[in-house]
Amino acid sequence: MSAAPAEDLVKRWESEQARLRQEVVEEDTEDWQRSADFSGLERVGGVDLSFIKGDDVNACAQLVVLSYPDLEVLYEDSQMVTLTAPYIAGFLAFRETPFLLDAIQRLEKNQPELLPQVVFVDGNGLFHYREFGLACHLGVLSGLPCVGVAKNLLQVQGVYKNDEHQSQIAALQKGGDSFPLTAASGKVLGKALRSSDKSSKPVYVSIGHKISVDTAVRLTHTCCRYRVPEPIRQSCASSGPSVIISWLKSITLPSSSSSFTH
DNA sequence: GCGACAG
DNA sequence: ATCTTGTCGC
């Protein structure tokens, strides 16, 4: 019957990406982005979805807001959610964005004064098959400046994980060093950044929305205590596990007590 | 058949 | 994403 069930879905998603792609702003739009020390920047956000071992449907959506430049936690939101869309490489946003957007809107409604001035996203932005990764998607739909940070290189648009790439990585001497990820077209889609002196493996930074590549790279570097930028690290590690555990208990206990009804 | 495949 | 312990090094 339907040998290729996702084919039609993928086509719709592709046109949706093409439509929203036109809304991406690839330049700095905020005053603090022009400042050498980012003066005026007080809150940076991070978002992430955490999963449990064999369950790719239930996840914990998290949003944290940290102070800048101290990187202290100002706000934290964790919400168990039920995912509907499958994970297909190149379409991560359709799986995760709705829940990340929900978290941002909850904050906007309850404590708008804590809204982050920029959001770090776990995944790529412009560095994407169609130049519209998760960070762009969330940026356009939320209207907030966003930065995409991926932990692994996506081989796309003529960028390969070959010997040339490896030698460029080897040339990154200290935290803050970077090299461009240039598409076959010549466009710089992002940069590989050595985020700290300690980590030899770079992170891949690309813009999501309302920020320039160079500003995104500079900002990412100042938000790194370890390899992964603190906003993303905090959103991954803070309350994720405990929220998932309490959620597991909440669905396990009622079912066991129901055995008393018979 | 083999490699790639953000999270 | 997550599965998994120890291990080597500063």
Side-chain angles (χ1 to χ4, degrees):
Chain A
M1 304 281 199
S2 51
E7 200 170 299
D8 187 56
L9 179 64
V10 165
K11 283 183 178 175
R12 291 204 307 273
W13 281 354
E14 281 180 346
S15 63
E16 176 77 348
Q17 288 180 329
R19 184 174 67 82
L20 294 174
R21 168 72 183 87
Q22 301 180 304
E23 306 301 318
V24 173
V25 175
E26 304 182 36
E27 299 85 37
D28 291 325
T29 59
E30 315 299 308
D31 287 340
W32 60 263
Q33 294 169 338
R34 302 285 186 184
S35 164
D37 60 351
F38 295 125
S39 66
L41 178 61
E42 299 178 345
R43 297 172 311 282
V44 296
V47 290
D48 172 68
L49 255 61
S50 301
F51 295 81
I52 28 181
K53 49 181 180 181
D55 189 341
D56 59 345
V57 170
N58 298 293
C60 182
Q62 313 211 72
L63 164 64
V64 300
V65 180
L66 307 185
S67 64
Y68 190 91
D70 293 339
L71 306 179
E72 306 277 336
V73 179
L74 298 176
Y75 174 87
E76 190 175 328
D77 177 37
S78 302
Q79 179 74 51
M80 284 305 301
V81 297
T82 301
L83 306 196
T84 54
Y87 169 66
I88 300 177
F91 302 95
L92 178 63
F94 292 93
R95 182 166 161 78
E96 301 196 349
T97 299
F99 308 100
L100 303 179
L101 203 52
D102 279 349
I104 291 175
Q105 290 171 344
R106 271 197 299 278
L107 172 56
E108 189 165 21
K109 178 185 178 184
N110 301 324
Q111 290 178 273
E113 71 280 5
L114 284 184
L115 267 179
Q117 293 159 287
V118 58
V119 179
F120 281 90
V121 178
D122 205 347
N124 294 302
L126 216 63
F127 186 55
H128 176 269
Y129 303 101
R130 292 164 294 280
E131 299 187 10
F132 197 72
L134 176 58
C136 297
H137 209 120
L138 185 65
V140 167
L141 295 190
S142 69
L144 293 174
C146 286
V147 176
V149 180
K151 295 182 288 294
N152 296 293
L153 178 72
L154 185 62
Q155 297 196 143
V156 63
Q157 295 203 29
V159 178
Y160 299 113
K161 186 167 45 187
N162 51 21
D163 290 343
E164 163 69 7
H165 183 75
Q166 297 306 328
S167 68
Q168 285 180 301
I169 289 178
L172 299 176
Q173 296 299 307
K174 60 184 198 313
D177 288 353
S178 68
F179 64 84
L181 301 169
T182 309
S185 68
K187 178 171 183 175
V188 174
L189 299 179
K191 292 196 173 184
L193 167 72
R194 178 161 183 158
S195 50
S196 77
D197 290 333
K198 294 217 167 188
S199 63
S200 59
K201 182 175 180 177
V203 292
Y204 300 94
V205 179
S206 60
I207 72 155
H209 189 47
K210 292 182 174 177
I211 193 168
S212 66
V213 206
D214 290 332
T215 300
V217 169
R218 195 160 59 88
L219 177 64
T220 300
H221 176 49
T222 67
C223 287
C224 287
R225 287 219 233 276
Y226 304 101
R227 176 171 176 249
V228 175
E230 216 52 20
I232 292 177
R233 251 192 93 244
Q234 292 297 331
S235 70
C236 292
S238 59
S239 62
S242 67
V243 168
I244 291 179
I245 288 172
S246 62
W247 173 79
L248 282 172
K249 288 179 178 173
S250 77
I251 62 168
T252 305
L253 292 178
S255 68
S256 61
S257 64
S258 68
S259 63
F260 277 85
T261 60
H262 283 274

